[in-house]
Amino acid sequence: MSQPGRGTSPALGTALIGREDELHRLMGLIDAPSGQALALLGDAGMGKTSLLARLVDEAGKKDVRVLSAVANESETQLAFAGLHQLLHPVLSSPDSPLDELAAPHRNALLAAFGLVEEFAVPDRLLIGIATVTLLLKVAERSPLLLVIDDIQWLDYNSRDVISFAWRRFRNEPIAIAFSARGQTPPRPFGEDVGKLRLEPLTQTHANLLLDVQPHRPGGLTRSTVLAHAQGNPMALVELSKATATEMWTGRRLDDPLPLSDRLEQLFSARVSTLPETCRTALLYAAVAGPSELLEAASAGLPGLDPQVWRPAEDAGLVSVTGAGVAFSHPLMRSAVYQAAPFADRAEAHRRLAAVLTHRLDRRAWHLARATLHPDEDVALLLVETAAEALRRGGCVAAALAMERAAELSPSSEDRARRLLFAADYATVTGQAAWVQDLATRASACTADPVLHAKADREIGWALAWTKRQAEALRVLVRLGEETAAEEPLIAWSALGPAATVAYHLGAPAGRAAVRRLVNRLSQQDDPGRPHGKELAYGAIRLLARAAIDPFRERPQALAELRRITEHRLDIPASSTAGSVAWVLDQSDVAVRVLREAREMLRKPGVQGASGAVVMGLAWACLDTGRWDEALDASQEASELARAFGMEIVTAEVSLVAATLAALRGDVARARELTATAVSAMDPIDSPVIAARERRAEGLIALVEGHFETAYSLLRQVFDADGAPHHYHASYFALADFATAAARTGKADEGRAVVEHAAGRIDGDVSPRLRQLLAHARALTSPPEEAEEHYAGALADPAGDEWPFERASLRLDYAEWLRRRRRINESKPVLVTALEVFRRLGAEPYVQRAEAELRASGVAVTGPMDLNRLTELTPQQREIVRLAAEGLTNRQIGERLSISPRTVSSHLYRSFPVLGVTDRHQIRDAISYESRMRG
């Protein structure tokens, strides 16, 4: 078991001065390791490694088992290398629980590490489940602490699996602590991870640290050290050493370079005093990872015998253990590597490649780093590495390998093709900027029109995630038109994102262009379409038509949607069908299908691409009253959006959360979230964002009782002539706008806008929109006409699919009845509305309903304790929901990738909260509608 911080210079042990509070918080992980994850964040040298080392020591004293890994920059491109380092002590122990895993899980894990003789293609989901199961079995014997130092250098696939596993460790005796450079955890970790940011030491603590150094600086030297260290503990320690040497005597560090550059120079100076044999060995250590260096030594690479390292160990530069050679700090390794001439680095890479013939990926990367000029042989090795990484589920590793293969390709056409392969692999990660860069470079080095078209497709895909929506639509529509005849597959792949962008922009010209393209592709014979992809292409065609016009031919679209969703769909088809269902107001269907798509996208390595799916799920859950699930989804999508630069997703999910916050009465939070949305996406550039942002702002004003302000804001959801500002999103603000109009005495003006908007609908109206229109008409009509609209809307049971909108309709109808002294009729309507508002946590509406009941002479008691799901964690809510639907613990565990024992534990903890004693009582305690509300 490797341990962070081992072998560092003695002074580094004192770097905990000024870190008492941080250490106390870290100790909480081993005092109660119940699924916690804590990220130690900060610049290089801030003491992260020292704190983790102390944590490991304390864990050992408390009989908490530790599995640790020290990430290495040289292994960043090697799929699952970090996971292998972390799990190696478990895999190699005599009593390893590996054999207790189900065969598919065990084989997937071993395949990911290249430890099976007969090659099997590992499944990323199976690897994640195998890791979860293995660690849970380890934790059954004793509490478990996972420690990862410098996680930003851990290969992406390992990080993804660790994140996947941690999200299934809630309330298990497992904790995770990791360090990372910077101020935010690296993806895919996000806001739900605990963060402990290491700030620079205060002047007092910095002086205390200098006082305990073997060579304590004083006078001007001390002032200089303090000024340049800027509170960085490692810099304080290392600069105090440097100023004690002859080369630093009397030298002032005026006009310093950035701290990391200065420390690298400082480390290089310390290395230069070592014997040549030791310097050569250090270069090999810098070129290779710890375990790789051991393999090289075992394979006969000369100059790596134990004695050669002693001068470097004595100088505190490295530690040598059975696990390999570790530098005292990553900057030391960087300094050694950068200080060496390229010829020396290349020779070290080539010699390592020569002895690592059995490790295709490592050999290929060493040769690539030793090569300055195009070399097809090395490029082909990297292509093989990319294929191997893909088979293991390492999309990032595959993209990186293919990108480097392209750079080494002598042929410009090969370079373009390989860059496009890299871009295609990178789309799985959701990293739009990287995809666009790869595609742009590919386009620049080829004259092949097909390759140019493929590059444009990748560029259009990347732009569609960002605020550059208009540019994305131009690229995608032009591409579809130019390739429809000769390369229809490219045109079809452009159609889906083009339709989505056209929906966001809302402009008639863009929608018309998409309509022409979908009609053309649908009418022509398409021999290029892959067999068996009919559902996927049918979903794309349906999305294009529904997104640009949700009302025209709606019955036919619904029939086609039902046909598609009757089948088991893959990720692209299910995410597309879910979006179609939401646009067509098949909201419950949208929730079901988008949940399925999200689960498929939760496989390690593909989360980045799930941002849009989770965004759609958040909106559908908001509409159908699954408000806590909507918040969970919006948070998840927000983290993905921030990590991958999806500006449109950031804006959308911020508005989901802002709308919910307003409806629940948290106006401060609602304002904060609307500001986030506007900063991510200018409403002027996106009518759909403008309509939703103005609705959220209008709701804030309504719940505050500022009706004039609400009217002014909600009026902007519609144009000056009353036409909807966005042809679809504006309609969902109709009832809110009508409420503001009625409360400000502008019912006549409001009615004119409502009727004008209704007159713009060309086609079939969904039950949801009929209910909203009837509600708006009832609020703005003369009193003698209102009841007809209220009664007509409530007569259609389909409106119950949107519970908040239904309850709001009932509340306004009950108020209308009471004011006409029809109190006995109003009471049951009010009670029904109040029950829904309480279940949703819509506090402003609860207060209105309670006030109406009191005015009707009804004594209002406390909230009806029919649904207490808000007290459960998101995972517990999901487990309760599935249990209520009749799934067994094993089925729930398979669905959520957790063990049946974990499911049972969560249910046991949830029963007292729900007021039940048996799982069979869950369905009786909460109706389907209420258990979705939370």
Side-chain angles (χ1 to χ4, degrees):
M1 179 183 70
S2 59
Q3 294 185 356
R6 295 302 188 207
T8 58
S9 61
L12 280 180
T14 64
L16 297 181
I17 288 176
R19 299 300 189 204
E20 293 80 8
D21 291 342
E22 291 86 347
L23 185 61
H24 177 74
R25 186 172 173 191
L26 274 173
M27 292 303 107
L29 294 176
I30 55 178
D31 292 333
S34 57
Q36 299 178 71
L38 186 60
L40 271 177
L41 304 171
D43 295 331
M46 296 301 286
K48 301 185 295 293
T49 297
S50 297
L51 282 167
L52 290 181
R54 179 68 65 84
L55 176 65
V56 169
D57 287 340
E58 295 299 322
K61 297 174 184 177
K62 297 185 178 183
D63 295 325
V64 174
R65 181 167 186 185
V66 178
L67 295 177
S68 63
V70 180
N72 192 298
E73 194 173 7
S74 67
E75 297 184 352
T76 302
Q77 296 87 10
L78 303 180
F80 301 109
L83 184 66
H84 181 259
Q85 185 185 164
L86 187 72
L87 298 182
H88 183 266
V90 176
L91 299 176
S92 60
S93 65
D95 59 344
S96 172
L98 181 66
D99 291 336
E100 299 176 36
L101 271 60
H105 298 162
R106 182 177 62 253
N107 293 337
L109 194 62
L110 294 176
F113 301 150
L115 298 177
V116 289
E117 294 183 1
E118 295 184 5
F119 182 81
V121 179
D123 182 284
R124 282 174 291 184
L125 180 59
L126 291 180
I127 295 168
I129 296 172
T131 301
V132 171
T133 307
L134 188 67
L135 292 175
L136 286 173
K137 289 184 179 297
V138 172
E140 289 176 354
R141 303 173 184 177
S142 66
L144 179 62
L145 174 66
L146 307 179
V147 177
I148 306 166
D149 202 8
D150 280 324
I151 200 171
Q152 77 277 354
W153 285 337
L154 206 67
D155 65 278
Y156 184 87
N157 296 277
S158 295
R159 270 190 274 148
D160 221 351
V161 170
I162 292 165
S163 173
F164 174 89
W166 166 67
R167 296 179 190 282
R168 285 145 183 84
F169 289 156
R170 306 297 169 88
N171 300 314
E172 299 291 344
I174 303 175
I176 302 178
F178 61 83
S179 69
R181 291 189 183 181
Q183 297 302 306
T184 57
R187 54 183 180 269
F189 296 95
E191 290 301 314
D192 50 351
V193 173
K195 287 172 279 296
L196 184 55
R197 293 183 175 88
L198 300 187
E199 302 296 338
L201 296 180
T202 65
Q203 192 82 344
T204 299
H205 285 133
N207 275 298
L208 286 174
L209 183 55
L210 290 179
D211 285 342
V212 298
Q213 299 308 305
H215 302 284
R216 183 173 59 185
L220 179 60
T221 302
R222 173 173 287 230
S223 299
T224 304
V225 168
L226 288 170
H228 292 308
Q230 299 177 7
N232 184 295
M234 183 181 182
L236 289 163
V237 171
E238 296 301 329
L239 288 173
S240 69
K241 291 179 182 178
T243 55
T245 65
E246 183 177 352
M247 64 175 291
W248 287 99
T249 301
R251 180 175 178 179
R252 293 191 59 175
L253 305 180
D254 295 329
D255 302 322
L257 295 170
L259 183 61
S260 59
D261 292 342
R262 182 167 294 280
L263 284 173
E264 286 189 21
Q265 291 180 6
L266 174 61
F267 288 139
S268 299
R270 291 171 60 192
V271 171
S272 66
T273 63
L274 299 175
E276 182 179 355
T277 54
C278 185
R279 294 201 305 271
T280 301
L282 282 176
L283 176 58
Y284 279 97
V287 166
S291 59
E292 189 177 330
L293 196 65
L294 286 178
E295 293 180 35
S298 301
L301 190 67
L304 299 179
D305 57 278
Q307 292 302 315
V308 76
W309 302 105
R310 184 175 295 280
E313 283 190 284
D314 292 342
L317 304 181
V318 297
S319 63
V320 182
T321 67
V325 178
F327 284 96
S328 60
H329 191 277
L331 286 176
M332 173 60 73
R333 177 183 179 273
S334 179
V336 169
Y337 189 84
Q338 296 299 332
F342 174 78
D344 293 348
R345 298 200 305 266
E347 176 64 17
H349 281 300
R350 281 192 290 267
R351 293 187 67 185
L352 283 167
V355 299
L356 296 172
T357 55
H358 63 295
R359 305 296 295 271
L360 171 66
D361 50 357
R362 295 170 189 253
R363 178 170 179 265
W365 274 108
H366 279 303
L367 290 174
R369 291 191 177 102
T371 305
L372 277 178
H373 305 292
D375 188 318
E376 182 62 14
D377 290 337
V378 177
L380 286 173
L381 284 175
L382 287 166
V383 170
E384 291 183 51
T385 295
E388 177 71 13
L390 279 179
R391 283 193 290 269
R392 295 186 182 183
C395 289
V396 174
L400 288 168
M402 198 61 81
E403 181 180 19
R404 182 60 177 144
E407 293 167 350
L408 294 176
S409 300
S411 163
S412 60
E413 296 303 305
D414 286 341
R415 191 178 313 126
R417 275 191 291 271
R418 287 163 180 170
L419 283 170
L420 289 173
F421 275 119
D424 190 41
Y425 303 154
T427 58
V428 179
T429 72
Q431 298 182 62
W434 186 21
V435 172
Q436 185 175 358
D437 175 65
L438 291 167
T440 301
R441 287 157 55 194
S443 185
C445 60
T446 181
D448 187 326
V450 174
L451 294 181
H452 268 293
K454 290 180 177 180
D456 285 345
R457 177 191 60 194
E458 304 293 356
I459 291 170
W461 176 90
L463 291 173
W465 292 101
T466 71
K467 64 175 64 177
R468 298 164 65 183
Q469 298 283 286
E471 184 179 353
L473 185 60
R474 286 194 297 271
V475 170
L476 291 165
V477 168
R478 183 183 68 246
L479 175 64
E481 291 170 346
E482 293 175 351
T483 59
E486 301 298 327
E487 298 290 338
L489 285 180
I490 297 177
W492 276 105
S493 66
L495 179 60
T500 302
V501 174
Y503 175 86
H504 282 109
L505 291 173
R511 293 159 59 201
V514 172
R515 182 181 293 110
R516 288 192 298 272
L517 179 58
V518 70
N519 289 340
R520 180 178 178 184
L521 288 171
S522 299
Q523 291 168 3
Q524 70 184 41
D525 182 26
D526 188 0
R529 189 184 308 174
H531 179 68
K533 293 290 185 179
E534 292 80 6
L535 288 176
Y537 282 92
I540 293 173
R541 180 173 55 248
L542 187 58
L543 173 65
R545 289 179 170 163
I548 61 178
D549 193 339
F551 311 116
R552 184 180 297 182
E553 301 177 359
R554 186 171 180 275
Q556 297 93 315
L558 291 176
E560 179 67 7
L561 177 65
R562 283 192 292 271
R563 186 187 71 81
I564 290 173
T565 54
E566 285 173 355
H567 296 80
R568 183 175 180 83
L569 304 174
D570 59 13
I571 291 174
S574 61
S575 59
T576 303
S579 299
V580 172
W582 180 79
V583 170
L584 295 177
D585 284 333
Q586 295 292 290
S587 303
D588 279 331
V589 175
V591 170
R592 174 178 61 82
V593 176
L594 290 172
R595 278 177 179 165
E596 294 170 356
R598 179 187 60 183
E599 291 307 313
M600 287 186 279
L601 281 163
R602 279 177 168 171
K603 295 178 181 179
V606 298
Q607 283 106 320
S610 67
V613 169
V614 184
M615 175 187 76
L617 179 61
W619 277 116
C621 288
L622 170 66
D623 296 339
T624 55
R626 300 163 168 92
W627 283 9
D628 277 352
E629 187 176 351
L631 283 179
D632 294 341
S634 65
Q635 180 180 353
E636 180 181 350
S638 179
E639 292 171 4
L640 292 166
R642 285 196 301 274
F644 297 104
M646 306 175 193
E647 292 152 331
I648 187 68
V649 176
T650 296
E652 290 268 14
V653 297
S654 295
L655 290 171
V656 173
T659 302
L660 268 178
L663 294 175
R664 284 179 162 171
D666 188 352
V667 295
R669 178 62 175 158
R671 285 197 174 94
E672 177 185 336
L673 289 162
T674 54
T676 299
V678 170
S679 66
M681 198 84 185
D682 191 336
I684 294 176
D685 298 328
S686 178
V688 73
I689 296 299
R692 289 170 176 165
E693 186 266 335
R694 286 304 176 188
R695 187 200 173 200
E697 294 278 8
L699 284 171
I700 293 170
L702 281 177
V703 301
E704 289 182 321
H706 301 155
F707 300 118
E708 288 287 352
T709 302
Y711 181 84
S712 175
L713 290 166
L714 291 165
R715 181 63 182 82
Q716 296 174 49
V717 180
F718 305 90
D719 293 339
D721 62 355
H725 187 62
H726 186 272
Y727 64 96
H728 184 241
S730 290
Y731 285 102
F732 302 116
L734 275 172
D736 308 313
F737 167 71
T739 298
R743 295 297 182 100
T744 55
K746 299 174 182 175
D748 291 342
E749 297 174 32
R751 183 166 64 256
V753 172
V754 170
E755 294 305 329
H756 192 109
R760 297 295 292 264
I761 299 174
D762 180 18
D764 186 51
V765 177
S766 70
R768 180 187 185 187
L769 188 49
R770 278 199 300 272
Q771 179 170 268
L772 287 169
L773 280 168
H775 191 178
R777 283 167 169 153
L779 288 166
T780 57
S781 294
E784 63 274 11
E785 298 176 11
E787 186 165 20
E788 178 183 353
H789 297 299
Y790 281 127
L794 289 171
D796 185 356
D800 287 330
E801 188 171 339
W802 304 276
F804 177 79
E805 293 166 6
R806 188 73 155 186
S808 299
L809 173 68
R810 287 192 169 106
L811 176 57
D812 286 333
Y813 183 37
E815 288 180 345
W816 185 90
L817 288 170
R818 185 185 64 78
R819 287 169 186 158
R820 277 141 194 86
R821 301 187 182 280
R822 295 162 61 179
I823 294 176
N824 289 335
E825 294 177 64
S826 71
K827 289 178 183 177
V829 181
L830 275 173
V831 168
T832 303
L834 177 59
E835 179 183 335
V836 172
F837 292 141
R838 282 176 168 171
R839 289 172 179 170
L840 296 174
E843 189 58 31
Y845 298 85
V846 168
Q847 293 174 8
R848 274 185 60 198
E850 289 179 344
E852 281 296 315
L853 277 173
R854 293 188 189 97
S856 301
V858 177
V860 179
T861 60
M864 303 173 187
D865 194 12
L866 296 177
N867 193 335
R868 301 178 63 188
L869 290 178
T870 55
E871 300 178 30
L872 303 180
T873 67
Q875 187 174 58
Q876 286 171 338
R877 287 196 294 271
E878 184 75 359
I879 289 171
V880 166
R881 180 182 69 80
L882 296 173
E885 292 179 0
L887 274 68
T888 65
N889 287 1
R890 181 170 295 280
Q891 290 170 327
I892 295 171
E894 292 173 352
R895 179 80 63 89
L896 302 180
S897 300
I898 57 179
S899 69
R901 185 173 65 83
T902 301
V903 174
S904 177
S905 175
H906 281 310
L907 281 175
Y908 180 79
R909 295 186 181 97
S910 300
F911 286 170
V913 177
L914 297 173
V916 301
T917 58
D918 187 276
R919 70 185 297 134
H920 302 295
Q921 297 173 330
I922 297 176
R923 184 182 293 272
D924 296 331
I926 53 175
S927 66
Y928 176 83
E929 193 175 70
S930 67
R931 72 174 180 268
M932 294 304 182
R933 306 299 187 262

